[in-house]
Amino acid sequence: MASNTRGRGPTLAKDMNRKLIYGELKRRRETTRTELAAALGLNKNTVNAIVDELMEAGYARATGLREGGGAGRKALGIAFEPANRRAFGFQLAAGSLVAVVTDLYGSPLERTELPLRAAAPADVVAAAASFARARLAAAPEGTYVGAGLGVPAVVDPAGERVVRSTHLGWTDVPLRAMLADALPLRHTLIDNAVKLATQGELWYGAGQGLKHFAYCSFGRGVGCGIVVDGNVVRGEAGFAGELGHTVVEPLGPRCECGNEGCLEAVAGLPGVFGRLSAATGEPASAFDAAVLAARARAGDPAVLAELDRVGRAIGAALAGIVNLINARRIVFDGPLLLAADALLPVVRRELRRNSLAPAFEQAELVVSSLQPLSSAIGAAAGIVRAWEHQADPLEPISL
């Protein structure tokens, strides 16, 4: 009810200015009051009063005198305190739940992997809730702003339900409500794991500071997230980035989607292992990503031939992204990248052959350093973002 009394005159203006100053201080990491006033076009007295509030609430701290106070004076430096508030991020993996606690930059302060006896929705939520409740009980009230969960699934556009997950065997699961009911936190979210991994790279990984890049995960399936102008592209119903269903071999192997020659049918690990089995006479069960990488390093001709095929397919598919969005970087992730030394030179060669030359020259290929935390970090980053950009413009950052 209190928020209904806000919204007129100085109260609304102060709330808006507080958010502006908080955001600019966070972006700069360290600055001065004078620099904040100049950057935001605000009165110095306004900035001083709000910075004092932020410092008292723990969002900022003094760093000592520095040059730039004007007229030969030194200014008092101030720095953002990202650990003043924290977020939980979870990522559902094969047989486990990866959990992180991050600060307001998405930097992991704690990370762990929680074994799961079963991957039913209730078991996943119970594991997340147990991890979070233990930390909530040990922290001052208000320290944690929310919890996010990444799942290998199609999530409805509202971010409420898992529509379908072939990996998990889930259909129409009200997962966000289950998570919200299990935790005494205002903000919760669920999302597709690849979309969140892309967010994780944007905030804390290889995508930091970039406006245009792509994140690609290669394992059992193929996942892709695209960032344009600093934002993860979702599309009309959240399906943007389905790189795995780009046809790279017309009349090629049949994909689970029903089409022929999709990238996922060529580059997905089940297809790779099946073709290696046919080529070598060994059972497909003899192969996993680590074996594939080891045999590539040893110069196994069947494995190198298969990786050449896979690399050409990936390069052809990625050329479309490079040409369409002029990506500055393509971030590779997933088990297949254990064989990156053999795979990426082929991808680069094929990408060069199929891309506009100036666009290719700007596109850097890198392997993610966040594995296996990317989706969990992205989930926490999504929570921080929701908390910092609350829907009600009259509601200030909680101090």
Side-chain angles (χ1 to χ4, degrees):
M1 296 296 291
S3 63
N4 292 334
T5 66
R6 310 176 72 89
R8 292 188 178 88
T11 302
L12 175 59
K14 187 173 183 180
D15 290 348
M16 295 175 66
N17 288 336
R18 184 189 288 113
K19 282 194 171 186
L20 286 172
I21 292 169
Y22 167 94
E24 186 67 13
L25 175 60
K26 183 183 180 185
R27 187 185 69 80
R28 289 172 172 260
R29 294 179 179 259
E30 186 172 350
T31 186
T32 68
R33 299 167 192 251
T34 300
E35 289 171 349
L36 286 173
L40 297 171
L42 294 175
N43 180 279
K44 288 183 180 180
N45 291 335
T46 298
V47 172
N48 287 338
I50 291 175
V51 167
D52 286 344
E53 282 188 347
L54 293 173
M55 294 181 73
E56 183 178 354
Y59 291 100
R61 60 179 173 83
T63 59
L65 296 175
R66 49 181 277 188
E67 300 295 337
R73 294 179 298 172
K74 292 185 176 182
L76 180 65
I78 51 174
F80 186 70
E81 279 287 6
N84 189 48
R85 294 291 184 269
R86 302 179 181 189
F88 296 111
F90 300 98
Q91 172 181 342
L92 185 55
S96 67
L97 186 68
V98 177
V100 298
V101 171
T102 77
D103 66 15
L104 292 171
Y105 285 123
S107 304
L109 304 173
E110 181 183 353
R111 62 192 77 183
T112 191
E113 193 164 357
L114 310 169
L116 291 174
R117 288 181 295 178
D123 296 304
V124 173
V125 170
S130 176
F131 175 87
R133 283 183 177 276
R135 283 139 190 87
L136 286 166
E141 185 177 356
T143 298
Y144 289 91
V145 299
L149 169 61
V151 286
V154 176
V155 176
D156 75 301
E160 294 288 337
R161 310 179 74 83
V162 169
V163 177
R164 182 181 69 258
S165 174
T166 54
H167 295 307
L168 301 171
W170 295 2
T171 302
D172 194 27
V173 177
L175 191 61
R176 199 201 70 79
M178 294 172 65
L179 188 65
D181 288 345
L183 289 171
L185 293 168
R186 177 171 181 181
H187 295 287
T188 55
L189 70 79
I190 64 164
D191 204 348
N192 171 266
V194 172
K195 294 290 192 302
L196 290 179
T198 308
Q199 188 75 46
E201 295 289 346
L202 178 62
W203 273 51
Y204 186 70
Q208 286 184 92
L210 301 183
K211 288 190 173 183
H212 304 86
F213 75 91
Y215 166 88
C216 300
S217 177
F218 296 93
R220 182 183 183 278
V222 174
C224 179
I226 299 171
V227 171
V228 173
D229 202 22
N231 294 296
V232 179
V233 176
R234 307 193 68 86
E236 184 67 24
F239 301 140
E242 286 292 343
L243 185 74
H245 299 290
T246 300
V247 174
V248 292
E249 292 186 4
L251 305 181
R254 183 167 293 278
C255 181
E256 288 184 354
C257 74
N259 289 334
E260 294 179 335
C262 290
L263 177 62
E264 186 162 294
V266 177
L269 288 178
V272 170
F273 299 155
R275 292 190 298 272
L276 282 172
S277 175
T280 63
E282 301 173 57
S285 59
F287 296 94
D288 61 22
V291 168
L292 189 73
R295 289 175 64 161
R297 288 192 296 271
D300 185 311
V303 170
L304 290 177
E306 178 62 28
L307 288 175
D308 184 78
R309 176 181 180 177
V310 170
R312 286 186 282 111
I314 293 172
L318 290 178
I321 291 178
V322 170
N323 287 336
L324 283 171
I325 72 166
N326 190 195
R328 176 65 184 83
R329 186 171 290 164
I330 297 174
V331 183
F332 291 85
D333 201 353
L336 183 62
L337 271 297
L338 291 175
D341 289 347
L343 183 67
L344 289 190
V346 181
V347 174
R348 186 175 288 106
R349 184 188 70 214
E350 195 68 13
L351 190 57
R352 179 191 295 274
R353 195 172 73 83
N354 288 278
S355 301
L356 186 67
F360 169 79
E361 290 166 2
Q362 292 182 325
E364 182 183 10
L365 309 188
V366 302
V367 177
S368 173
S369 63
L370 300 187
Q371 178 69 15
L373 304 176
S374 51
S375 288
I377 291 172
I383 283 295
V384 172
R385 186 175 183 178
W387 175 74
E388 290 179 337
H389 300 84
Q390 297 170 49
D392 182 358
L394 305 185
E395 184 175 4
I397 295 168
S398 301
L399 295 176

